[in-house]
Amino acid sequence: MAIVWTSDLDTGITVIDQQHRRIVDYINQMEGAQAKQDRTMVGKVLDELVDYTLSHFAFEESLQEEAGYRFVKPHRKVHELFVRRVNEYRDRFNAGENVAEETHKLLSAWLINHIKRDDADYISSVKPQLDAITTDDRKEGWVARALGRFFR
């Protein structure tokens, strides 16, 4: 079942919400590739999803560090555990297993839960800092540089 973006998934940080929506797009593409039984497309989407998600996690953690979010290390650990799990699915896929449905279920459930719980927790720390950065001309370049560094 495709993920439909709803307002309860919005964090209130536009750049993060755009990234989350892109991850949802990848998850929905995975479902489409799975339905067509297109193994090549499943592999392509899986690789792109992993690459984009790693960039998103690094960007999100960078924002948290910049804002002095006190739970950045545990949040990073959640990201690391997720990446390890997804890489296990990718390894199984590369070994010839059909893991598309299993991967899609994991991604769908994990992302929604992560946004609503883990990400929601850092918003009150990061949003004011991000607002200050984007309104302060001397620091405005940080967001652009960070986006450029993580999303080329």
Coordinates of all heavy atoms in Angstrom, one line a residue, residues 1-77:
M1 N 0.8 -1.2 0.0 CA 0.0 0.0 0.0 C 0.9 1.2 0.0 O 1.8 1.4 0.8 CB -0.9 0.0 1.2 CG -1.8 1.1 1.4 SD -2.8 0.9 2.8 CE -4.2 1.8 2.3
A2 N 0.6 2.1 -0.9 CA 1.4 3.3 -1.0 C 1.2 4.2 0.2 O 0.1 4.3 0.8 CB 1.0 4.1 -2.3
I3 N 2.3 4.9 0.5 CA 2.2 5.9 1.6 C 1.6 7.2 1.0 O 2.1 7.7 0.0 CB 3.6 6.2 2.2 CG1 4.2 4.9 2.8 CG2 3.5 7.3 3.3 CD1 5.6 5.1 3.3
V4 N 0.7 7.7 1.7 CA 0.1 9.0 1.3 C 0.5 10.0 2.4 O 0.3 9.8 3.6 CB -1.5 9.0 1.2 CG1 -2.1 10.3 0.9 CG2 -1.9 7.9 0.2
W5 N 1.2 11.1 1.9 CA 1.6 12.1 2.8 C 0.4 12.8 3.4 O -0.4 13.3 2.7 CB 2.5 13.1 2.1 CG 3.2 14.1 3.1 CD1 2.8 15.3 3.5 CD2 4.4 13.8 3.7 NE1 3.6 15.8 4.4 CE2 4.7 14.9 4.6 CE3 5.4 12.8 3.7 CZ2 5.8 15.0 5.4 CZ3 6.5 12.9 4.5 CH2 6.7 14.0 5.3
T6 N 0.4 12.9 4.7 CA -0.6 13.7 5.4 C 0.0 14.7 6.3 O 1.2 14.6 6.7 CB -1.5 12.7 6.3 OG1 -0.6 12.0 7.2 CG2 -2.3 11.7 5.4
S7 N -0.8 15.7 6.7 CA -0.2 16.8 7.5 C 0.4 16.4 8.8 O 1.3 17.1 9.3 CB -1.3 17.9 7.7 OG -2.4 17.4 8.4
D8 N 0.0 15.3 9.4 CA 0.5 14.8 10.7 C 2.0 14.4 10.5 O 2.7 14.1 11.5 CB -0.3 13.8 11.3 CG -0.4 12.5 10.5 OD1 -0.4 12.5 9.3 OD2 -0.5 11.4 11.2
L9 N 2.5 14.3 9.3 CA 3.9 13.9 9.0 C 4.8 15.2 8.9 O 6.0 15.0 8.9 CB 4.0 13.0 7.8 CG 3.3 11.7 7.9 CD1 3.4 11.0 6.5 CD2 3.9 10.8 9.0
D10 N 4.1 16.3 8.8 CA 4.9 17.6 8.6 C 5.6 17.9 10.0 O 5.0 17.8 11.0 CB 4.0 18.7 8.3 CG 3.5 18.7 6.9 OD1 4.3 18.2 6.0 OD2 2.5 19.3 6.6
T11 N 6.9 18.2 9.8 CA 7.7 18.6 11.0 C 7.6 20.1 11.3 O 7.9 20.6 12.4 CB 9.2 18.2 10.9 OG1 9.7 19.0 9.8 CG2 9.3 16.7 10.6
G12 N 7.2 20.9 10.2 CA 7.3 22.3 10.3 C 8.6 22.9 9.9 O 8.8 24.1 9.8
I13 N 9.5 22.0 9.5 CA 10.8 22.4 8.9 C 10.7 22.0 7.4 O 10.8 20.9 7.1 CB 12.0 21.8 9.6 CG1 12.0 22.2 11.1 CG2 13.3 22.2 8.9 CD1 13.1 21.5 11.9
T14 N 10.6 23.0 6.6 CA 10.3 22.8 5.2 C 11.3 21.9 4.5 O 11.0 20.9 3.8 CB 10.2 24.1 4.4 OG1 9.2 24.9 5.0 CG2 9.9 23.9 3.0
V15 N 12.6 22.1 4.7 CA 13.6 21.4 4.1 C 13.6 19.9 4.5 O 13.8 19.0 3.7 CB 15.0 22.0 4.3 CG1 15.4 21.9 5.7 CG2 16.0 21.3 3.4
I16 N 13.3 19.6 5.8 CA 13.2 18.3 6.3 C 11.9 17.6 5.7 O 12.0 16.5 5.3 CB 13.2 18.3 7.8 CG1 14.5 18.7 8.4 CG2 12.8 16.9 8.4 CD1 15.7 17.9 8.1
D17 N 10.8 18.3 5.7 CA 9.6 17.8 5.1 C 9.8 17.4 3.7 O 9.3 16.4 3.2 CB 8.4 18.8 5.3 CG 8.0 18.9 6.8 OD1 8.3 18.0 7.6 OD2 7.4 19.9 7.1
Q18 N 10.5 18.3 2.9 CA 10.7 18.0 1.5 C 11.6 16.7 1.4 O 11.3 15.8 0.5 CB 11.4 19.1 0.8 CG 10.6 20.3 0.6 CD 11.3 21.6 0.2 OE1 12.6 21.7 0.4 NE2 10.6 22.6 -0.3
Q19 N 12.5 16.5 2.2 CA 13.4 15.3 2.2 C 12.6 14.1 2.6 O 12.7 13.0 1.9 CB 14.6 15.5 3.1 CG 15.6 16.5 2.6 CD 16.6 16.9 3.6 OE1 16.8 16.2 4.6 NE2 17.3 18.0 3.3
H20 N 11.7 14.2 3.6 CA 10.9 13.1 4.0 C 9.9 12.7 2.8 O 9.7 11.5 2.6 CB 10.1 13.4 5.2 CG 10.9 13.5 6.5 ND1 10.4 14.1 7.6 CD2 12.1 12.9 6.8 CE1 11.3 13.9 8.6 NE2 12.3 13.2 8.1
R21 N 9.4 13.7 2.2 CA 8.5 13.4 1.0 C 9.2 12.7 -0.1 O 8.7 11.8 -0.7 CB 7.9 14.7 0.5 CG 6.8 15.2 1.4 CD 6.1 16.4 0.7 NE 5.0 16.8 1.6 CZ 4.9 18.0 2.1 NH1 5.8 18.9 1.9 NH2 3.8 18.4 2.9
R22 N 10.5 13.0 -0.3 CA 11.3 12.4 -1.3 C 11.5 10.9 -0.9 O 11.5 10.0 -1.7 CB 12.6 13.1 -1.5 CG 13.5 12.5 -2.6 CD 12.8 12.7 -4.0 NE 13.6 11.9 -5.0 CZ 13.0 11.0 -5.8 NH1 11.7 10.8 -5.8 NH2 13.7 10.4 -6.6
I23 N 11.8 10.6 0.4 CA 11.9 9.3 0.8 C 10.6 8.5 0.6 O 10.6 7.3 0.2 CB 12.4 9.2 2.3 CG1 13.8 9.8 2.4 CG2 12.4 7.8 2.9 CD1 14.3 10.1 3.8
V24 N 9.5 9.1 0.9 CA 8.2 8.5 0.7 C 8.0 8.2 -0.8 O 7.6 7.1 -1.2 CB 7.0 9.4 1.2 CG1 5.7 8.9 0.6 CG2 7.0 9.4 2.7
D25 N 8.5 9.1 -1.7 CA 8.4 8.8 -3.1 C 9.2 7.5 -3.5 O 8.8 6.7 -4.2 CB 9.0 10.0 -3.9 CG 8.1 11.2 -3.9 OD1 6.9 11.1 -3.6 OD2 8.6 12.3 -4.3
Y26 N 10.4 7.4 -2.9 CA 11.2 6.2 -3.1 C 10.5 5.0 -2.7 O 10.5 3.9 -3.3 CB 12.6 6.3 -2.5 CG 13.6 7.1 -3.2 CD1 14.2 8.2 -2.6 CD2 14.0 6.8 -4.5 CE1 15.1 9.0 -3.3 CE2 14.9 7.6 -5.2 CZ 15.5 8.7 -4.6 OH 16.4 9.4 -5.2
I27 N 9.9 5.0 -1.5 CA 9.2 3.9 -0.9 C 8.1 3.5 -1.8 O 7.8 2.3 -2.1 CB 8.7 4.1 0.5 CG1 10.0 4.3 1.4 CG2 7.8 3.0 1.0 CD1 9.6 4.8 2.8
N28 N 7.3 4.5 -2.3 CA 6.2 4.2 -3.2 C 6.7 3.7 -4.6 O 6.1 2.8 -5.2 CB 5.4 5.4 -3.4 CG 4.6 5.8 -2.2 OD1 4.3 4.9 -1.3 ND2 4.2 7.0 -2.0
Q29 N 7.9 4.1 -5.0 CA 8.5 3.6 -6.3 C 8.8 2.1 -6.0 O 8.7 1.3 -7.0 CB 9.7 4.4 -6.7 CG 9.4 5.7 -7.2 CD 10.7 6.5 -7.5 OE1 11.8 5.9 -7.7 NE2 10.6 7.8 -7.5
M30 N 9.3 1.8 -4.8 CA 9.6 0.4 -4.5 C 8.4 -0.5 -4.6 O 8.5 -1.6 -5.2 CB 10.2 0.3 -3.1 CG 10.4 -1.1 -2.6 SD 11.8 -1.9 -3.3 CE 13.1 -1.0 -2.6
E31 N 7.3 0.0 -4.1 CA 6.0 -0.7 -4.2 C 5.7 -0.9 -5.7 O 5.2 -2.0 -6.1 CB 4.9 0.0 -3.5 CG 3.6 -0.8 -3.6 CD 2.5 0.0 -2.9 OE1 2.4 1.2 -3.1 OE2 1.7 -0.7 -2.2
G32 N 5.8 0.1 -6.5 CA 5.5 0.0 -7.9 C 6.4 -1.0 -8.6 O 5.9 -1.8 -9.5
A33 N 7.6 -1.0 -8.4 CA 8.6 -1.9 -9.0 C 8.3 -3.4 -8.5 O 8.4 -4.3 -9.3 CB 10.0 -1.5 -8.6
Q34 N 7.9 -3.5 -7.3 CA 7.6 -4.8 -6.7 C 6.3 -5.3 -7.4 O 6.3 -6.5 -7.8 CB 7.4 -4.7 -5.2 CG 6.8 -5.9 -4.6 CD 6.2 -5.6 -3.2 OE1 6.5 -4.6 -2.6 NE2 5.5 -6.6 -2.7
A35 N 5.3 -4.5 -7.6 CA 4.1 -4.9 -8.2 C 4.3 -5.4 -9.7 O 3.6 -6.3 -10.2 CB 3.0 -3.8 -8.2
K36 N 5.2 -4.7 -10.4 CA 5.6 -5.1 -11.7 C 6.6 -6.2 -11.8 O 6.9 -6.7 -12.9 CB 6.2 -3.9 -12.5 CG 5.2 -2.7 -12.7 CD 6.0 -1.6 -13.3 CE 5.0 -0.4 -13.5 NZ 5.7 0.8 -14.0
Q37 N 7.0 -6.7 -10.6 CA 8.0 -7.7 -10.5 C 9.3 -7.4 -11.4 O 9.8 -8.2 -12.1 CB 7.5 -9.1 -10.9 CG 6.4 -9.5 -10.0 CD 5.8 -10.9 -10.3 OE1 6.1 -11.5 -11.3 NE2 5.0 -11.4 -9.4
D38 N 9.6 -6.1 -11.3 CA 10.8 -5.6 -12.0 C 12.0 -5.5 -11.1 O 12.3 -4.6 -10.4 CB 10.4 -4.2 -12.6 CG 11.5 -3.6 -13.5 OD1 12.7 -4.0 -13.4 OD2 11.2 -2.7 -14.2
R39 N 12.8 -6.6 -11.1 CA 13.9 -6.8 -10.2 C 15.0 -5.7 -10.5 O 15.5 -5.1 -9.5 CB 14.5 -8.1 -10.4 CG 15.7 -8.4 -9.5 CD 16.1 -9.8 -9.4 NE 17.3 -10.0 -8.7 CZ 17.5 -9.9 -7.4 NH1 16.4 -9.7 -6.6 NH2 18.6 -10.0 -6.8
T40 N 15.2 -5.3 -11.7 CA 16.1 -4.2 -12.0 C 15.7 -2.9 -11.4 O 16.5 -2.2 -10.8 CB 16.3 -4.1 -13.5 OG1 16.7 -5.3 -14.1 CG2 17.3 -3.0 -13.9
M41 N 14.4 -2.6 -11.5 CA 13.9 -1.4 -10.9 C 14.0 -1.4 -9.4 O 14.3 -0.4 -8.8 CB 12.5 -1.1 -11.4 CG 12.0 0.2 -11.0 SD 13.0 1.6 -11.6 CE 12.0 2.9 -11.6
V42 N 13.6 -2.6 -8.8 CA 13.7 -2.7 -7.4 C 15.1 -2.4 -6.9 O 15.3 -1.6 -5.9 CB 13.3 -4.1 -6.9 CG1 13.7 -4.3 -5.4 CG2 11.8 -4.3 -7.1
G43 N 16.1 -2.9 -7.6 CA 17.5 -2.7 -7.2 C 17.9 -1.2 -7.4 O 18.6 -0.7 -6.5
K44 N 17.5 -0.6 -8.4 CA 17.8 0.8 -8.7 C 17.2 1.7 -7.6 O 17.8 2.5 -7.0 CB 17.3 1.2 -10.0 CG 17.6 2.6 -10.4 CD 17.1 3.0 -11.8 CE 17.5 4.3 -12.2 NZ 16.4 5.3 -12.3
V45 N 15.9 1.4 -7.3 CA 15.2 2.2 -6.3 C 15.8 2.0 -4.9 O 16.0 2.9 -4.1 CB 13.7 1.9 -6.2 CG1 13.0 2.6 -5.0 CG2 13.0 2.3 -7.5
L46 N 16.2 0.8 -4.6 CA 16.8 0.5 -3.3 C 18.1 1.2 -3.2 O 18.4 1.8 -2.1 CB 17.0 -1.1 -3.2 CG 17.4 -1.6 -1.8 CD1 16.5 -1.2 -0.7 CD2 17.5 -3.1 -1.9
D47 N 18.9 1.2 -4.2 CA 20.2 1.9 -4.2 C 20.0 3.4 -4.0 O 20.7 4.1 -3.2 CB 21.0 1.6 -5.4 CG 21.6 0.2 -5.4 OD1 21.7 -0.4 -4.4 OD2 22.0 -0.2 -6.5
E48 N 19.1 4.0 -4.8 CA 18.8 5.4 -4.7 C 18.3 5.8 -3.3 O 18.6 6.8 -2.7 CB 17.9 5.9 -5.8 CG 18.5 5.8 -7.2 CD 17.5 6.1 -8.3 OE1 16.4 6.5 -8.0 OE2 18.0 6.1 -9.4
L49 N 17.4 5.0 -2.8 CA 16.8 5.2 -1.5 C 17.8 5.2 -0.4 O 17.9 6.1 0.4 CB 15.7 4.1 -1.2 CG 15.1 4.2 0.2 CD1 14.3 5.4 0.4 CD2 14.3 2.9 0.5
V50 N 18.7 4.2 -0.4 CA 19.8 4.1 0.6 C 20.7 5.4 0.5 O 21.0 6.0 1.5 CB 20.6 2.8 0.4 CG1 21.9 2.9 1.3 CG2 19.8 1.6 0.8
D51 N 21.1 5.7 -0.7 CA 22.0 6.9 -0.9 C 21.3 8.2 -0.4 O 21.9 9.0 0.3 CB 22.3 7.0 -2.4 CG 23.3 8.2 -2.6 OD1 24.4 8.2 -2.0 OD2 23.0 9.0 -3.5
Y52 N 20.0 8.4 -0.8 CA 19.3 9.6 -0.4 C 19.1 9.6 1.1 O 19.3 10.7 1.7 CB 18.0 9.7 -1.2 CG 17.4 11.1 -1.0 CD1 17.7 12.1 -1.8 CD2 16.5 11.3 0.1 CE1 17.1 13.4 -1.6 CE2 15.9 12.5 0.3 CZ 16.2 13.6 -0.6 OH 15.7 14.8 -0.4
T53 N 18.7 8.5 1.6 CA 18.5 8.4 3.1 C 19.7 8.7 3.9 O 19.7 9.4 4.9 CB 17.9 7.1 3.5 OG1 16.6 6.9 2.7 CG2 17.5 7.0 4.9
L54 N 20.9 8.2 3.4 CA 22.1 8.5 4.1 C 22.4 10.0 4.1 O 22.8 10.6 5.1 CB 23.3 7.8 3.5 CG 23.3 6.3 3.7 CD1 24.4 5.6 2.9 CD2 23.5 6.0 5.2
S55 N 22.2 10.7 3.0 CA 22.4 12.1 2.9 C 21.4 12.8 3.8 O 21.8 13.8 4.5 CB 22.2 12.6 1.5 OG 23.2 12.1 0.6
H56 N 20.1 12.4 3.8 CA 19.1 13.0 4.7 C 19.5 12.9 6.2 O 19.5 13.9 6.9 CB 17.8 12.4 4.5 CG 16.8 12.7 5.5 ND1 16.3 14.0 5.7 CD2 16.3 12.0 6.5 CE1 15.4 14.0 6.7 NE2 15.4 12.8 7.3
F57 N 20.0 11.7 6.6 CA 20.3 11.5 7.9 C 21.5 12.4 8.3 O 21.5 13.0 9.4 CB 20.7 10.0 8.2 CG 19.6 9.1 8.2 CD1 19.8 7.7 8.2 CD2 18.3 9.5 8.3 CE1 18.8 6.8 8.3 CE2 17.2 8.6 8.4 CZ 17.5 7.2 8.4
A58 N 22.5 12.5 7.5 CA 23.7 13.3 7.7 C 23.2 14.8 7.9 O 23.7 15.5 8.8 CB 24.7 13.2 6.6
F59 N 22.4 15.2 7.0 CA 21.9 16.6 7.0 C 21.1 16.9 8.3 O 21.3 17.9 9.0 CB 21.0 16.9 5.8 CG 20.4 18.3 5.8 CD1 21.2 19.4 5.5 CD2 19.1 18.5 6.1 CE1 20.7 20.7 5.5 CE2 18.6 19.8 6.1 CZ 19.4 20.9 5.8
E60 N 20.2 15.9 8.6 CA 19.4 16.1 9.8 C 20.3 16.1 11.1 O 20.1 17.0 12.0 CB 18.4 14.9 9.9 CG 17.4 15.0 10.9 CD 16.4 13.8 10.8 OE1 16.7 12.7 11.4 OE2 15.3 14.0 10.2
E61 N 21.3 15.2 11.1 CA 22.2 15.2 12.3 C 23.0 16.5 12.4 O 23.3 17.0 13.4 CB 23.1 14.0 12.2 CG 22.3 12.7 12.4 CD 23.1 11.5 12.0 OE1 24.3 11.6 11.7 OE2 22.5 10.4 11.9
S62 N 23.4 17.0 11.2 CA 24.1 18.3 11.2 C 23.3 19.4 11.7 O 23.8 20.3 12.5 CB 24.5 18.6 9.7 OG 25.2 19.8 9.6
L63 N 22.0 19.5 11.4 CA 21.1 20.5 11.9 C 21.0 20.3 13.5 O 21.0 21.3 14.2 CB 19.7 20.4 11.3 CG 19.5 20.8 9.9 CD1 18.0 20.5 9.5 CD2 19.8 22.3 9.7
Q64 N 20.9 19.1 13.9 CA 20.8 18.8 15.3 C 22.0 19.3 16.1 O 21.9 19.9 17.2 CB 20.5 17.3 15.6 CG 19.2 16.8 15.1 CD 19.0 15.3 15.2 OE1 19.9 14.6 15.6 NE2 17.9 14.8 14.7
E65 N 23.2 19.0 15.5 CA 24.4 19.4 16.2 C 24.5 20.9 16.2 O 24.9 21.5 17.2 CB 25.6 18.8 15.4 CG 25.8 17.3 15.6 CD 26.8 16.7 14.7 OE1 27.4 17.4 13.8 OE2 27.0 15.5 14.8
E66 N 24.2 21.6 15.1 CA 24.2 23.0 15.0 C 23.3 23.7 16.1 O 23.6 24.7 16.7 CB 23.8 23.5 13.6 CG 23.9 25.0 13.4 CD 25.3 25.5 13.2 OE1 26.2 24.7 12.9 OE2 25.5 26.7 13.2
A67 N 22.2 23.0 16.3 CA 21.2 23.5 17.3 C 21.5 23.1 18.7 O 20.9 23.6 19.7 CB 19.8 23.0 16.9
G68 N 22.5 22.3 18.9 CA 22.8 21.8 20.3 C 21.8 20.8 20.8 O 21.6 20.7 22.0
Y69 N 21.1 20.1 19.9 CA 20.1 19.1 20.4 C 20.8 18.1 21.3 O 21.7 17.4 20.9 CB 19.5 18.5 19.1 CG 18.5 17.4 19.4 CD1 17.3 17.6 20.2 CD2 18.6 16.1 18.9 CE1 16.4 16.6 20.5 CE2 17.7 15.1 19.1 CZ 16.6 15.4 19.9 OH 15.7 14.4 20.2
R70 N 20.3 17.9 22.5 CA 20.9 17.1 23.5 C 20.9 15.6 23.2 O 21.6 14.8 23.8 CB 20.4 17.4 24.9 CG 19.0 17.1 25.1 CD 18.5 17.5 26.5 NE 17.1 17.2 26.7 CZ 16.6 16.9 27.8 NH1 17.4 16.9 28.9 NH2 15.4 16.6 27.9
F71 N 19.9 15.2 22.3 CA 19.8 13.7 22.0 C 20.3 13.4 20.6 O 19.9 12.4 20.0 CB 18.4 13.3 22.2 CG 17.9 13.4 23.6 CD1 16.8 14.3 23.8 CD2 18.4 12.7 24.6 CE1 16.3 14.4 25.1 CE2 18.0 12.9 25.9 CZ 16.9 13.7 26.2
V72 N 21.3 14.2 20.1 CA 21.8 13.9 18.8 C 22.5 12.6 18.7 O 22.3 11.8 17.7 CB 22.7 15.1 18.3 CG1 24.0 15.1 19.0 CG2 23.0 14.9 16.8
K73 N 23.2 12.2 19.7 CA 23.9 10.9 19.7 C 22.9 9.7 19.6 O 23.1 8.8 18.8 CB 24.9 10.7 20.8 CG 26.1 11.6 20.6 CD 27.1 11.4 21.7 CE 28.3 12.4 21.5 NZ 29.3 12.3 22.6
P74 N 21.9 9.7 20.5 CA 20.9 8.6 20.4 C 20.1 8.6 19.1 O 19.8 7.6 18.5 CB 20.0 8.8 21.6 CG 20.7 9.7 22.5 CD 21.7 10.5 21.7
H75 N 19.9 9.8 18.6 CA 19.2 9.9 17.3 C 20.1 9.3 16.2 O 19.6 8.6 15.3 CB 18.8 11.4 17.0 CG 17.8 11.5 15.9 ND1 16.4 11.8 16.2 CD2 17.8 11.5 14.6 CE1 15.8 11.8 15.1 NE2 16.6 11.7 14.1
R76 N 21.3 9.7 16.2 CA 22.3 9.1 15.2 C 22.3 7.6 15.3 O 22.4 6.9 14.3 CB 23.7 9.7 15.5 CG 24.7 9.2 14.5 CD 26.1 9.8 14.7 NE 26.0 11.3 14.4 CZ 26.4 12.2 15.2 NH1 26.8 11.9 16.4 NH2 26.3 13.5 14.9
K77 N 22.3 7.1 16.5 CA 22.3 5.6 16.7 C 21.1 5.0 16.1 O 21.2 3.9 15.4 CB 22.4 5.3 18.2 CG 22.6 3.9 18.5 CD 24.0 3.5 18.1 CE 24.4 2.1 18.6 NZ 25.6 1.6 18.0

